[in-house]
Amino acid sequence: MKRILIDYKKLDHKVVAILIDSYPDGYGDDDVITIKKPNGEVIEAVEVKTADTIYLVKISKSLSNFISNFEETIEKELDKELVASDFEDGSFEGLEPTSEDLESEDQY
C-alpha cells in the first residue's frame, strides 16, 4: 500500500469526499499524525485511506476551514460549472437582453 504526503489542495474529488466523510466534525488530537522530516521540520497530517493508498493530508488552518466550509464551497463550484456549461455551446437562445444591453446598443 502506498503512503503519500499531500496538501489537501492537490487531492482529487474522490479523496476529498473520503476526507470529509472521515472527519465530518473536524479532526481531533487523536487523529493527527506527526512526521519529522530529515531537516528537522515537523509536519502534522491526518490519514485518509483508499483501496490502494494511504494519504497523509497536511494540516493547516486552511484545511480546517475547508472541512468546515466544504458543503458551501462545493455548492458554489457546482453552480459555476452549471453556468459555464450553459454558455459552452455558444448558444444564447432564450436569454433576454437587459436594459443595459439595450442602452449600449443605441450608442453604436
Side-chain angles (χ1 to χ4, degrees):
M1 187 169 276
K2 293 187 291 184
R3 291 176 64 94
I4 299 174
L5 180 64
I6 190 167
D7 189 78
Y8 80 92
K9 295 175 187 173
K10 296 181 181 179
L11 292 173
D12 67 27
H13 293 291
K14 291 179 184 178
V15 179
V16 169
I18 296 169
L19 172 68
I20 299 303
D21 288 343
S22 300
Y23 306 101
D25 299 321
Y27 49 84
D29 291 339
D30 294 339
D31 301 316
V32 177
I33 297 169
T34 304
I35 303 162
K36 189 171 184 177
K37 292 174 65 173
N39 66 359
E41 181 184 354
V42 176
I43 297 173
E44 294 181 324
V46 292
E47 188 176 82
V48 178
K49 293 181 183 180
T50 63
D52 62 346
T53 306
I54 297 175
Y55 293 92
L56 299 174
V57 182
K58 293 179 189 178
I59 292 177
S60 64
K61 288 182 183 179
S62 55
L63 174 61
S64 299
N65 292 336
F66 176 76
I67 289 174
S68 63
N69 297 325
F70 178 74
E71 286 185 19
E72 181 179 321
T73 303
I74 199 68
E75 285 176 14
K76 286 180 184 177
E77 285 183 22
L78 290 173
D79 287 345
K80 285 179 188 175
E81 288 175 14
L82 289 173
V83 169
S85 67
D86 289 344
F87 295 104
E88 282 179 357
D89 62 1
S91 171
F92 298 99
E93 194 173 305
L95 294 177
E96 296 293 325
T98 64
S99 60
E100 290 175 4
D101 292 334
L102 293 174
E103 288 173 12
S104 64
E105 285 179 12
D106 293 338
Q107 295 174 0
Y108 292 106

